[in-house]
Amino acid sequence: MRVNANNHYSRMVKQIAHTLRRRCGIGEGSHILIAVSGGADSVALLRALDAIKGRRRWRLSLTVGHVQHHLRGKDAEGDALFVEELARQLKLPRLRRDLDASGIQGNVEAWARRERYRALREMARECGAGFIATAHHADDQLETLLMRMLRGAGTRGMSGIGYRVSGVGEAFDTSSRNPNPETRIPTTIRPMLAVTRTQVLDYLHAINQPWREDHTNADVTRWRARLRQDVLPVLEEIRPNAGRKATAFAQQMRDVHRVLNDAIDDAKQLVEHEGDERWIDRVAARQMRRVVLSGLLRELLNEAGVHGDKLGVNQIGKLVRAVRDKEGGERMFGFKGGVFVVVTRDRVRVGRG
């Protein structure tokens, strides 16, 4: 028999409540769409928020959102039916979106992630939820930071997963004068970032709550699964609470990234415009700190149409070295889409051919 989670107000639930208020900016009466896949993490988040929702100073409205990717056959539909039944037991409204995976080429995981968030935003607008809660936890943070470190990420990448996603707009308030969901973008929140995977499983066992297993998560040909199976247990043995420490580190890096962004914004004041081109005096560029110059060049290339994924450490490093050396003449660096950077004796020009 399942234990009522409202009577099991565990340390994990208290941590989530604290994070909701202090990190995610959730106030009384908020409406949250909970992304529930049926796995242990999202089921634990759902049960924890359900335990919180009716308490004084919360009075949350909750809606369960499930995305069926149609990538795992009968198992995927089993997940969907499990989530539907759990929402029914908890007497919570449920929304579902089915994705069409036929004809997908390239990176299927990237497609699934992009379409999942699009579907969640649609569901949030449909039910009037100002927030979308996902079940990323401290161990996910550690995995993410390790993967990005191995790829040579900078301050932005090492900022990791945020408690509250920036850059996607503010949540709408249904009590405002203009609560039109068509013009407001729900804010994604991660209330479990200070919670470990061990806490998640302990909580589910304590309330006798089953969940669904996605067996593709055990595929060690994938980076993340290999880290989870072979690396994280060793780190946890060497340094207990490694996941929580990773979350604290990521928050520090977010603060560092904000400071760096301010410096880059100041540097952008020196950029001149000539038609579709941007240029900066090379002497002024040389005087910038290397990390600021790297960030400025990256932003100018982004504005010209080069995606950030195409601007790795090697590409930006070559540009920075060319700007800072003592050579004259004219050197051109080409990028995808006809975008170029020209370094001359006096200027650094960014444009599109």
Side-chain angles (χ1 to χ4, degrees):
M1 179 177 178
R2 185 172 299 133
V3 176
N4 187 338
N6 291 302
N7 296 327
H8 191 86
Y9 203 63
S10 71
R11 180 181 176 185
M12 191 194 83
V13 177
K14 291 178 182 177
Q15 178 63 64
I16 289 174
H18 177 82
T19 301
L20 278 175
R21 186 84 70 188
R22 297 298 180 88
R23 296 290 191 177
C24 300
I26 300 298
E28 183 175 353
S30 295
H31 188 169
I32 303 173
L33 177 80
I34 310 169
V36 184
S37 67
D41 302 334
S42 62
V43 169
L45 176 62
L46 171 59
R47 294 302 306 271
L49 292 181
D50 186 63
I52 292 169
K53 72 171 195 258
R55 290 179 174 265
R56 186 173 59 87
R57 296 179 59 205
W58 284 113
R59 311 299 178 191
L60 300 175
S61 296
L62 303 179
T63 298
V64 176
H66 179 77
V67 180
Q68 220 294 33
H69 298 83
H70 290 279
L71 293 173
R72 294 168 40 245
K74 293 182 179 179
D75 284 345
E77 186 59 24
D79 295 345
L81 295 176
F82 172 84
V83 172
E84 180 178 0
E85 175 59 20
L86 181 56
R88 187 192 65 78
Q89 290 177 6
L90 298 175
K91 299 180 181 179
L92 294 175
R94 179 195 64 89
L95 294 173
R96 168 176 169 164
R97 287 293 186 276
D98 288 77
L99 304 183
D100 182 5
S102 62
I104 297 301
Q105 298 179 348
N107 190 326
V108 176
E109 289 186 27
W111 169 84
R113 182 182 184 280
R114 181 179 66 252
E115 292 302 304
R116 178 167 62 253
Y117 276 101
R118 180 188 60 78
L120 288 169
R121 287 193 294 270
E122 287 181 358
M123 287 187 281
R125 290 191 182 100
E126 179 180 331
C127 69
F131 300 90
I132 300 168
T134 66
H136 296 87
H137 51 67
D139 293 40
D140 292 325
Q141 183 77 281
L142 180 56
E143 291 168 10
T144 298
L145 292 182
L146 289 171
M147 291 173 68
R148 292 181 181 178
M149 180 185 69
L150 294 172
R151 288 172 177 156
T155 56
R156 180 176 182 179
M158 296 308 291
S159 297
I161 306 169
Y163 286 101
R164 178 179 172 123
V165 176
S166 60
V168 296
E170 292 299 312
F172 62 89
D173 177 1
T174 55
S175 66
S176 68
R177 296 182 180 180
N178 181 28
N180 182 4
E182 298 299 323
T183 60
R184 304 294 184 92
I185 303 176
T187 297
T188 301
I189 58 173
R190 281 74 177 252
M192 294 211 311
L193 272 184
V195 171
T196 67
R197 172 74 172 182
T198 298
Q199 283 182 287
V200 166
L201 298 179
D202 287 347
Y203 175 65
L204 292 175
H205 287 135
I207 63 173
N208 297 322
Q209 172 63 60
W211 66 88
R212 298 276 295 181
E213 289 286 358
D214 179 353
H215 298 292
T216 63
N217 289 333
D219 180 3
V220 293
T221 62
R222 302 182 182 186
W223 271 47
R224 191 175 286 275
R226 183 72 183 275
L227 286 170
R228 183 177 301 142
Q229 179 171 307
D230 296 340
V231 178
L232 261 61
V234 177
L235 290 177
E236 188 67 26
E237 182 180 341
I238 295 172
R239 190 70 173 178
N241 293 324
R244 287 201 189 99
K245 295 180 191 304
T247 296
F249 170 78
Q251 186 60 41
Q252 291 175 357
M253 292 303 294
R254 293 175 80 83
D255 294 338
V256 169
H257 187 63
R258 290 190 190 100
V259 173
L260 177 58
N261 273 348
D262 289 342
I264 293 170
D265 286 342
D266 290 341
K268 287 181 75 172
Q269 304 305 311
L270 301 175
V271 176
E272 301 287 346
H273 295 218
E274 281 186 6
D276 293 333
E277 290 190 7
R278 307 287 186 269
W279 66 269
I280 185 169
D281 180 81
R282 190 175 171 195
V283 173
R286 274 202 197 106
Q287 293 173 348
M288 296 177 189
R289 292 184 179 274
R290 186 182 296 271
V291 67
V292 175
L293 177 58
S294 297
L296 176 62
L297 291 171
R298 189 183 299 275
E299 287 208 8
L300 293 177
L301 286 165
N302 285 160
E303 291 172 3
V306 183
H307 195 275
D309 290 345
K310 305 300 181 183
L311 297 173
V313 174
N314 290 336
Q315 292 87 341
I316 293 295
K318 290 177 183 178
L319 282 180
V320 170
R321 287 191 293 274
V323 172
R324 291 170 65 91
D325 66 26
K326 304 279 177 140
E327 294 184 28
E330 179 175 292
R331 287 166 285 173
M332 177 176 285
F333 301 83
F335 295 87
K336 193 172 182 179
V339 177
F340 62 83
V341 177
V342 176
V343 179
T344 66
R345 185 175 66 110
D346 301 316
R347 291 184 176 183
V348 180
R349 293 170 35 230
V350 180
R352 182 190 289 270

